Amino acid sequence: MTNTLDAPDTPNGPGRPARPVTAAELPGLRRRTSAVLMASQILGGLGVPIGIALAPVLATEVSGSEALSGLAPTASVTGTALLSLPLAALMTSRGRRPGLVLAYLIGALGAGLVVLATVVESFPLLLLGMAGFGAGSSANLQARFAAADLVEPDRRGRAISTVIWATTIGSVLGPNIAAPVGRVFRGTAISEKAGPFFFAAGIFLLAALVVWVLLRPDPLLTARALAPRDGELPAGRSLRAGIAAVRASARARLALVTVTVSHTAMVSIMVMTPVDLGHHGAGLQLIGLVISGHIAGMYAFSPVMGWLSDRFGRLTVIGLAVGLLSCAALLAGTAGADHGQTAAGLFVLGLGWSAGLVSGSALLTDSVPQAARAAVQGLSDLTMNTAAGIGGMIAGVVVARASYGWLNVVGACLLLPMAALALRRALARPAARTGTAASATAPAPTSPGASAAPASDT
């Protein structure tokens, strides 16, 4: 097989040979790809958290009902989910670059609609805008898979976590600049709470420009050109192709449950925290600080989670995620008016999400063939964001009719199937190792398109 860089798309399909790539060129290409993705993540990180911090507050303000406050962040998560498969199909056909650019452009349009909705006081338009705004999250989530396209299997956790970490810079700053940016619009038709969305629209447009100009050659098309052809499944873009690949692998099923449960538990608790803080006298500045701490937990320590995942195995970090998310629910659910304890709970909640997302994403990529990965990754984002969208919608009702404490109890209960599957996999592992002892000494695959050995989840 001749290793080749990808060429522009042609009528015969993407990833056609352009010129040979040598072993000396590949490390530089990996570094360049990682740097561009990190830059886009920093920008996207500035925009997305604005919606996290302000969407429930805007929903209450525009609708006049606190019970509807959870619908705005739910609309954002739903938009992220609905776009997952179309973006995965586009990336499979044309590469990562056009898919990421389109996602950022839709996010910018959504942010503009949110601003317009607050001016005309239209709650349906606000929900439509938040759904489009969710495309910014789609781009940030898909970037983690783009980071893994060209790396060796035993470094995927670190590659994914490095790009996730880059979001820290923008994500910590985003909620804290919301109030100053909002004050710029004081005295105008745009409210102070909607003004930051205008800023987010510009940030998403800049992120789209960075990806379009600099993410060349396309990492997915390059990885496909480098992947071994023998025994590889036909490329699939559909939901059916993703489901078939997941059904064929127990490890892929565990990975899918891990990212889905981790994300759903985190979103369900996080989206209602600003409302609960408001009940206990917290202002916009304090809410921004708490959300910043939460996002720091999500992203700042992701390289640690990636290193742990590669060094000690995916299962170990999945177990860590269960423990951290359970601890977070206990802290936040019993905090009451103690804002410091709420902040601590949200920080640990972010750590648990990071552990689950990094380990689950790495395990998912390990577990399916190169040709099926884009479809499976789209299925993963569809599933996790659909579940989180439902969780966010129910969260508002739970808090309105019961309490924020009970919401955290429900969030902790969501972890049970994830813990059960991980335990089952851990108990089955010794038998699998015994049965494959002879193959354990075989060299690990080094091609970026190859799957890791079955023991990589241990």
Side-chain angles (χ1 to χ4, degrees), residues 6-394:
D6 63 297
D9 299 336
T10 71
N12 295 325
R16 295 195 63 186
R19 64 178 179 83
V21 58
T22 66
E25 290 176 312
L26 193 53
L29 179 56
R30 289 169 179 153
R31 288 192 297 270
R32 174 184 169 83
T33 299
S34 179
V36 174
L37 291 171
M38 288 174 68
S40 69
Q41 287 291 89
I42 291 171
L43 293 170
L46 278 170
V48 171
I50 287 173
I52 295 174
L54 297 179
V57 181
L58 273 181
T60 301
E61 184 179 273
V62 174
S63 69
S65 172
E66 189 174 279
L68 298 178
S69 61
L71 290 183
T74 298
S76 178
V77 175
T78 301
T80 304
L82 292 176
L83 284 166
S84 298
L85 285 179
L87 287 174
L90 177 60
M91 290 180 186
T92 300
S93 173
R94 309 291 291 179
R96 298 287 186 193
R97 188 166 62 98
L100 293 174
V101 168
L102 178 61
Y104 280 127
L105 292 177
I106 295 174
L109 176 62
L113 289 177
V114 169
V115 175
L116 178 61
T118 62
V119 173
V120 301
E121 298 184 346
S122 171
F123 188 63
L125 185 59
L126 175 69
L127 296 183
L128 178 63
M130 287 305 303
F133 187 83
S137 293
S138 294
N140 283 2
L141 288 171
Q142 283 292 325
R144 78 191 193 275
F145 290 124
D149 284 335
L150 292 173
V151 300
E152 301 93 335
D154 62 353
R155 296 187 62 85
R156 281 181 184 142
R158 278 165 282 187
I160 290 170
S161 64
T162 298
V163 170
I164 292 175
W165 172 86
T167 314
T168 308
I169 300 171
S171 294
V172 172
L173 290 175
N176 287 293
I177 65 175
V181 169
R183 285 194 290 269
V184 173
F185 294 87
R186 186 176 294 172
T188 70
I190 300 174
S191 72
E192 290 187 39
K193 294 173 183 175
F197 281 90
F198 189 86
F199 169 79
I203 289 295
F204 285 157
L205 290 175
L206 182 57
L209 180 63
V210 167
V211 172
W212 181 255
V213 173
L214 299 179
L215 193 62
R216 299 170 184 267
D218 191 281
L220 179 60
L221 302 186
T222 305
R224 186 178 298 147
L226 293 170
R229 297 293 194 268
D230 295 337
E232 194 72 14
L233 295 177
R237 291 186 282 165
S238 67
L239 176 63
R240 182 179 298 177
I243 293 174
V246 170
R247 288 181 63 184
S249 170
R251 297 162 67 229
R253 292 194 295 273
L254 171 59
L256 187 61
V257 169
T258 296
V259 296
T260 299
V261 170
S262 298
H263 194 58
T264 303
M266 185 276 290
V267 169
S268 300
I269 295 171
M270 178 269 297
V271 296
M272 295 311 298
T273 300
V275 176
D276 183 69
L277 287 169
H279 285 164
H280 294 100
L284 183 60
Q285 197 70 36
L286 178 57
I287 291 173
L289 288 172
V290 171
I291 295 299
S292 291
H294 166 66
I295 294 172
M298 291 173 65
Y299 300 119
F301 295 90
S302 57
V304 176
M305 302 303 177
W307 180 82
L308 290 173
S309 179
D310 288 339
R311 176 65 179 83
F312 297 102
R314 319 305 190 208
L315 272 182
T316 300
V317 183
I318 290 172
L320 176 62
V322 172
L324 288 170
L325 291 168
S326 300
C327 181
L330 177 63
L331 285 170
T334 60
D338 187 341
H339 295 155
Q341 184 173 329
T342 300
L346 265 288
F347 176 74
V348 176
L349 184 71
L351 287 177
W353 175 88
S354 179
L357 190 74
V358 170
S359 59
S361 298
L363 181 58
L364 189 69
T365 304
D366 292 342
S367 304
V368 296
Q370 166 62 240
R373 280 181 194 154
V376 170
Q377 290 159 356
L379 173 64
S380 171
D381 284 356
L382 170 66
T383 304
M384 65 185 271
N385 286 295
T386 299
I390 295 171
M393 181 172 57
I394 294 174

